[in-house]
Amino acid sequence: MKWNKLGKIFDPTQHKLPNDCVQFAQAPQALVFDDFVRIYFSTRSVDKRNGKYLSHIAFVDMRKNLRDVVRVSDKTVIPLGGLGCFDEHGIFPMNVMRHGDSVYGYTCGWNRRVSVSVDTAIGLAISRDEGLTFQRIGDGPVLAASPHEPCLVGDGFVKVIGGVFHMWYIFGTGWKRSSADAPPDRTYKIAHAVSSDGVQWVKEEARQIIADRLGAEESQALPTVIGIDGGYHMFFCYRQSFDFRTNKERGYRIGHAHSDDLANWERDDDNPLLDVTPGDWDSDMLCYPHVFECDSEVYLLYNGNEFGRYGFGLSVLER
Amino acid sequence: MFRWEKLGKVFTPQEVKGRSWLKEFAQAPATLLFDDFLRVYFSCRPPADENGQYVSYSAYVDLDRADLFKVRRVGERPILSLGGLGEFDEFGIYPVSVIRNGGEVRAYYGGWTRCESVPFNVAIGMATSRDGGETFSKLGNGPVLSYSPDEPFVLSGPKIRRFNDTWYLWYIAGRRWKRVDGRAEPVYKIRMASSSDGIHWNKVNKDLIENRIEADEAQASPDVFYANGKYHMFFCYRYSSHYRGKEKGYRIGYASSTSLIDWVRDDAKAGIDVSEEGWDAEMISYPHVFELDGNTYLAYLGNQVGRHGFGLAVLHGKLE
């Protein structure tokens, strides 16, 4: 298997976005319709009270050639959470999945802390209008911290397989400072939970399902899973936990693992490898992958440099 | 109406010397009985930091079983250390509820973190002692009861009980943050969960106690005690705003149940109110009922939610 890069397909700075958002189209997530593909992403506004970012969900509808933009959402897809709620300061990302006549949106909600910058948890919001708007099932999350997953539960990706809801997600193993005067940075790993209804989840409680390539200080994020020819393939991104924002050598890359039983995963980042392209929009960083099938092709949406400040691109799998 | 005779304040944290983490407050008393003393866990605070912010620690005081007004010993150290960077209990362990489980003692506690838009958030942790309740080790670095769709924040005030081989946890869950004079004030309600092992919990997802004084009434310290064929709950409640004084501050309420899930509130029966004057003249809160050598006692906090310690009342008659 081999990824064939199709280039950047969406640049948020070329469109008017709802909620006064400018820049960033992060963590693209596809919902395939008969004659178009709706791609949700997280974009950002600036919190006027303190100049910090707020992440909002928006979408772009594209023709199935995945080149032509039909429209960009002009309304709020899902409002941010209320005062003191887990998703008060951002939703990034939101994984979407059809279930019956509804679309389930699994949100990663962000709330700001004092000693560390943020904590996250996973919420559920449901759309009954084909994904135009989503309503939360409650003000709180469906998956949050637990005894051995102490912080930063987020990045849920959900698929129903054999009648069981599977969620791949990340949990924080802790916060550390790289030096005494540095702000704390976090490390997180990929985990798995199951559910019979998509609401009540049973975790494996801190079982890291993907082996580290960079050692204990590897952070793994945004798992996405697809079945191909009877096996399962997971793509995710990984990086060093410190000095990863501007140091190209320590920043995000795309990882891969495969499994036959959804329990044991074998990491194999090189087959297929998605690598940076020197001089291009994804020369320094590759992150936030989302794999999906459309008209018998397997595609990978992902972000490039600067965590997706200038949009996302696409690759197609050659088999 | 129950007839509680107030016995006075039994413990004054300001009188304890040589503990940097214990300057004032002795909040949320919770008892554990030993052969010749009664151990009372409480939560206390060192001086506030330069920004006027507090952390809370939990500790214990041993009272003489024959004379509860005789302090025999105060723990040398807090029973638990605060959580690490970014963990749910980084800025406070308060309150604590304890229970024996075979040869162990389990503690359930509120762990406090600090947030940007609201002052704090709380989730419930669990820890186990294998030395009779002197020191505890945490089950993990995260909470044992955390937020869920209907309980979005401020899970606190745990009270652990076991009835008929099932573990029960009464606690509070935040309903909303209300802006009052530019400050975010939490509104919380009494809730419950059950478990077969005390670790994996099933929430009832229901407010157990109807509101009496206002819709945004805050309810806390749901202390459940079984006696004479039914379950008795003493709790405290306050108004949602301007509650730091006498007028709208905490009072003690009462409810009873035969099912543990359906409760009938009847505050008129509680039988304990603020005093005319003294340490509990402005507010009374955080009730805890326990039985000792044939008597039924109520431990509770007075003014400023226990800044100056806790007191005791003894019941005349029966809980029925």
Side-chain angles (χ1 to χ4, degrees):
Chain A
M1 295 194 295
K2 182 173 169 289
W3 287 119
N4 182 17
K5 282 189 178 186
L6 301 176
K8 191 159 84 168
I9 61 167
F10 182 75
D11 182 343
T13 64
Q14 302 301 309
H15 298 273
K16 181 169 166 27
L17 300 165
N19 298 303
D20 297 324
C21 289
V22 287
Q23 299 189 340
F24 292 98
Q26 299 181 280
Q29 306 274 323
L31 188 67
V32 178
F33 289 79
D34 286 344
D35 53 354
F36 67 96
V37 179
R38 179 160 291 163
I39 303 174
Y40 297 85
F41 55 87
S42 287
T43 178
R44 297 188 186 180
S45 66
V46 174
D47 191 335
K48 290 180 186 68
R49 291 166 295 188
N50 51 26
K52 296 183 181 178
Y53 284 122
L54 296 165
S55 284
H56 298 266
I57 298 295
F59 64 76
V60 53
D61 289 345
M62 301 188 88
R63 299 246 179 261
K64 283 187 145 176
N65 62 18
L66 294 167
R67 276 195 308 272
D68 302 328
V69 170
V70 181
R71 70 155 169 166
V72 174
S73 55
D74 54 4
K75 293 192 185 66
T76 300
V77 175
I78 176 171
L80 298 186
L83 183 65
C85 290
F86 77 105
D87 50 357
E88 180 183 0
H89 297 125
I91 298 176
F92 164 42
M94 179 171 78
N95 173 241
V96 289
M97 179 200 80
R98 287 186 195 282
H99 188 62
D101 294 334
S102 305
V103 181
Y104 280 21
Y106 287 93
T107 63
C108 178
W110 293 57
N111 60 94
R112 298 186 198 130
R113 298 291 167 105
V114 170
S115 64
V116 294
S117 56
V118 73
D119 199 24
T120 62
I122 297 170
L124 172 58
I126 295 177
S127 172
R128 295 190 169 82
D129 59 7
E130 293 290 316
L132 293 176
T133 61
F134 287 79
Q135 289 77 43
R136 289 171 177 71
I137 65 161
D139 290 337
V142 294
L143 207 75
S146 51
H148 304 289
E149 299 181 0
C151 56
L152 294 162
V153 170
D155 284 9
F157 176 90
V158 178
K159 234 179 169 50
V160 178
I161 301 171
V164 176
F165 285 76
H166 291 261
M167 183 191 284
W168 292 273
Y169 65 99
I170 62 172
F171 66 94
T173 55
W175 290 84
K176 270 205 295 206
R177 296 175 200 276
S178 58
S179 62
D181 55 349
D185 275 314
R186 51 212 187 244
T187 300
Y188 30 74
K189 306 292 183 184
I190 293 170
H192 176 237
V194 293
S195 169
S196 59
D197 61 5
V199 179
Q200 306 262 4
W201 292 90
V202 179
K203 288 179 173 180
E204 296 181 43
E205 200 55 38
R207 181 169 83 92
Q208 178 186 341
I209 62 172
I210 302 296
D212 292 322
R213 179 174 179 173
L214 307 178
E217 286 178 355
E218 172 179 281
S219 279
Q220 308 169 339
L222 208 66
T224 173
V225 173
I226 193 165
I228 302 173
D229 300 334
Y232 296 95
H233 294 263
M234 179 189 296
F235 299 90
F236 53 93
C237 51
Y238 67 98
R239 58 166 170 78
Q240 296 282 357
S241 290
F242 305 106
D243 186 27
F244 57 89
R245 290 183 176 86
T246 53
N247 184 342
K248 174 184 168 182
E249 304 307 318
R250 300 174 65 86
Y252 272 128
R253 293 293 181 276
I254 303 294
H256 165 254
H258 57 86
S259 172
D260 294 326
D261 58 7
L262 294 174
N264 302 291
W265 292 88
E266 188 170 336
R267 185 163 181 172
D268 185 8
D269 293 352
D270 296 335
N271 295 296
L273 174 70
L274 187 78
D275 205 356
V276 296
T277 301
D280 214 336
W281 70 285
D282 57 357
S283 58
D284 296 346
M285 188 186 288
L286 298 162
C287 56
Y288 310 138
H290 175 74
V291 65
F292 70 104
E293 201 170 332
C294 178
D295 295 345
S296 317
E297 296 283 5
V298 173
Y299 291 102
L300 189 78
L301 290 162
Y302 65 99
N303 288 114
N305 299 349
E306 291 189 68
F307 306 94
R309 182 187 290 268
Y310 299 107
F312 53 82
L314 186 71
S315 286
V316 62
L317 194 67
E318 286 180 11
R319 285 181 272 179
Chain B
M1 193 198 292
F2 299 122
R3 284 179 52 225
W4 294 103
E5 179 195 346
K6 288 185 177 178
L7 301 176
K9 195 164 71 163
V10 291
F11 178 64
T12 302
Q14 286 82 354
E15 290 173 0
V16 180
K17 302 298 173 208
R19 287 163 183 79
S20 61
W21 45 273
L22 197 177
K23 175 172 180 274
E24 50 186 2
F25 291 95
Q27 301 183 285
T31 56
L32 191 68
L33 185 59
F34 290 79
D35 286 344
D36 59 346
F37 60 90
L38 179 72
R39 178 160 290 169
V40 186
Y41 293 87
F42 61 89
S43 299
C44 60
R45 306 181 192 179
D49 68 12
E50 61 273 20
N51 300 316
Q53 292 198 292
Y54 286 105
V55 295
S56 283
Y57 290 96
S58 289
Y60 62 82
V61 53
D62 291 341
L63 306 177
D64 196 298
R65 184 165 175 162
D67 176 5
L68 294 176
F69 282 76
K70 201 153 123 197
V71 170
R72 292 192 15 178
R73 178 173 169 236
V74 177
E76 294 293 327
R77 278 172 294 278
I79 58 166
L80 287 166
S81 54
L82 299 184
L85 188 60
E87 290 170 3
F88 79 107
D89 53 356
E90 184 180 357
F91 294 103
I93 289 187
Y94 157 63
V96 168
S97 177
V98 292
I99 192 169
R100 289 188 193 280
N101 181 39
E104 301 177 343
V105 179
R106 281 190 185 181
Y108 292 76
Y109 61 93
W112 292 59
T113 186
R114 290 181 189 159
C115 304
E116 189 185 280
S117 61
V118 293
F120 58 83
N121 204 353
V122 194
I124 295 171
M126 196 273 260
T128 302
S129 171
R130 292 180 181 85
D131 59 6
E134 299 213 2
T135 62
F136 288 80
S137 53
K138 295 177 187 178
L139 172 66
N141 294 335
V144 74
L145 198 77
S146 192
Y147 320 118
S148 54
D150 291 338
E151 298 180 350
F153 41 70
V154 187
L155 298 197
S156 187
K159 299 269 188 174
I160 185 71
R161 301 288 184 268
R162 210 167 22 189
F163 298 115
N164 309 318
D165 287 331
T166 299
W167 295 79
Y168 292 93
L169 194 66
W170 280 272
Y171 59 97
I172 61 170
R175 168 60 37 77
R176 58 183 290 230
W177 284 94
K178 188 170 174 170
R179 285 204 189 279
V180 181
D181 304 337
R183 183 171 179 159
E185 300 281 12
V187 171
Y188 33 77
K189 305 295 180 186
I190 289 171
R191 316 277 284 192
M192 177 186 135
S194 63
S195 171
S196 59
D197 61 5
I199 295 170
H200 299 89
W201 292 94
N202 296 307
K203 292 179 174 180
V204 171
N205 282 320
K206 177 186 159 183
D207 290 347
L208 298 189
I209 303 297
E210 64 180 348
N211 299 311
R212 189 171 70 77
I213 53 172
E214 61 173 26
D216 283 340
E217 168 187 281
Q219 309 165 340
S221 192
D223 195 81
V224 175
F225 190 83
Y226 179 78
N228 303 309
K230 62 180 175 182
Y231 299 94
H232 307 264
M233 183 194 292
F234 289 84
F235 56 94
C236 55
Y237 61 95
R238 60 161 173 79
Y239 286 86
S240 56
S241 55
H242 309 107
Y243 56 84
R244 290 179 178 81
K246 177 172 183 176
E247 187 85 355
K248 297 191 162 185
Y250 274 120
R251 297 292 184 276
I252 289 176
Y254 171 79
S256 62
S257 172
T258 52
S259 69
L260 290 172
I261 291 178
D262 300 311
W263 293 83
V264 178
R265 181 169 181 172
D266 186 5
D267 292 356
K269 220 176 159 187
I272 188 163
D273 205 345
V274 293
S275 297
E276 293 279 309
E277 54 180 21
W279 74 282
D280 61 351
E282 288 185 4
M283 61 179 79
I284 50 172
S285 64
Y286 285 84
H288 170 59
V289 173
F290 62 97
E291 223 164 26
L292 178 68
D293 301 331
N295 284 319
T296 302
Y297 293 93
L298 181 79
Y300 67 100
L301 306 181
N303 302 344
Q304 296 184 61
V305 207
R307 182 185 287 265
H308 303 287
F310 60 84
L312 281 180
V314 65
L315 185 72
H316 291 282
K318 285 171 144 183
L319 279 183
E320 58 185 3

